[in-house]
Amino acid sequence: MSRFLARASATMLAGLLTVAAGAAQADTTLTYQGASGEFTVDMKPGAVRIDDATRQWQLYEADDEAIFSVNPVDRSYTRLDRNTASAIRERVDNLRAQIESRVQQLPKGQQATARAAMLQSVPGLDTSAQKVGLDRTGRQDSVAGVSCEVVQVVRDGKPAETLCVASPKDLGISGKTFASVESMFSLMQTLLAGTGFETAGLPYLSLSGMPVRFTDTNSGERRQLVKVGHDSLAKKRFTIPDGYIETSITPPGS
């Protein structure tokens, strides 16, 4: 579970550091470069596909209200939808209850330290979720010729990632396509609520557009656009190939 969410979050984070210019187009392919390699994002109304530097890719389909993680190596995929998310939340709640039961058996003076250590040992269990916000710096910049606003992500009051965010109009992405990107992140936020992974990624729904540059304040890692295209995208590009087997998402603590 944690590996899937980490990959999905990291891939989407990297994949949405994008830019386009000119007239808005329904289909958009965005290519950008990061320290770990090249990433591509294919978008069209109702669907988004994100390929990272590995062979695995993520797929969002609005009609299914699901996010898929596809692994061509073993011809398999996992599905994150409302039912899957509900099962994850139940598993997380049960694990938290088990930990609290064990903590209560310890002397009072040891409980706080033991509780924190146990919760942090399993991703998603720590109930002291980070507070994630945005600091609008008021500074403007340009990435690949597109104007963008510099914003600072703040986690627990400390500077974290720095983004340069461009408006959908400046990105040249159609309203329907951008609406699909927004609905994907809205669904992800809904599905992850209560799982402990709510703050794992960036606060995309609080942004006025899409990041065209990302810089990690701690590591210095940077990702940004290198190419954009608007060729028509075939339906099969957004379809899981025949013969692929659905596998279950590994829940936290397994």
Side-chain angles (χ1 to χ4, degrees):
M1 166 57 195
S2 59
R3 183 171 58 184
F4 164 75
L5 290 178
R7 173 170 290 278
S9 178
T11 302
M12 289 178 181
L13 162 65
L16 287 163
L17 305 171
T18 59
V19 63
Q25 301 292 323
D27 293 2
T28 301
T29 297
L30 307 146
T31 306
Y32 65 96
Q33 191 71 34
S36 57
E38 186 178 270
F39 297 75
T40 61
V41 181
D42 291 321
M43 299 181 289
K44 67 187 309 175
V48 179
R49 170 173 169 160
I50 302 171
D51 293 69
D52 64 12
T54 70
R55 293 185 61 188
Q56 297 189 38
W57 47 281
Q58 313 294 320
L59 174 66
Y60 164 71
E61 293 184 341
D63 290 342
D64 283 345
E65 289 194 320
I67 297 172
F68 302 88
S69 181
V70 184
N71 187 345
V73 175
D74 57 14
R75 298 176 63 83
S76 68
Y77 66 92
T78 57
R79 176 188 180 109
L80 179 63
D81 57 18
R82 295 182 189 277
N83 291 334
T84 309
S86 179
I88 292 170
R89 278 191 290 273
E90 183 177 356
R91 172 63 174 168
V92 168
D93 288 343
N94 287 338
L95 286 173
R96 286 173 178 157
Q98 292 174 23
I99 287 176
E100 187 60 30
S101 177
R102 293 175 60 186
V103 167
Q104 291 301 320
Q105 299 175 28
L106 299 174
K108 290 289 186 180
Q110 299 178 16
Q111 290 183 6
T113 301
R115 181 183 295 108
M118 291 182 193
L119 290 174
Q120 292 174 9
S121 68
V122 181
L125 292 190
D126 192 349
T127 54
S128 59
Q130 286 185 329
K131 293 181 179 179
V132 182
L134 291 177
D135 179 9
R136 302 191 182 281
T137 67
R139 292 188 287 115
Q140 296 290 320
D141 205 342
S142 178
V143 175
V146 175
S147 177
C148 55
E149 177 191 10
V150 178
V151 298
Q152 179 71 60
V153 178
V154 180
R155 298 182 184 274
D156 288 338
K158 298 179 181 179
E161 302 89 344
T162 301
L163 312 175
C164 207
V165 181
S167 70
K169 180 179 179 180
D170 288 338
L171 299 176
I173 300 172
S174 74
K176 289 184 177 179
T177 297
F178 186 68
S180 297
V181 175
E182 290 184 307
S183 68
M184 174 180 70
F185 281 107
S186 179
L187 176 64
M188 177 67 83
Q189 180 173 293
T190 298
L191 296 181
L192 296 184
T195 66
F197 291 94
E198 298 95 322
T199 60
L202 296 176
Y204 284 108
L205 295 180
S206 298
L207 302 178
S208 57
M210 294 170 62
V212 295
R213 184 177 65 220
F214 161 88
T215 304
D216 188 307
T217 304
N218 295 319
S219 68
E221 179 185 0
R222 173 175 289 197
R223 303 185 185 97
Q224 64 184 45
L225 170 86
V226 293
K227 182 180 179 182
V228 61
H230 290 295
D231 293 339
S232 180
L233 297 169
K235 182 179 179 180
K236 67 178 182 180
R237 181 69 179 162
F238 301 91
T239 303
I240 297 175
D242 292 338
Y244 278 43
I245 299 173
E246 181 174 357
T247 58
S248 299
I249 295 176
T250 303
S254 297

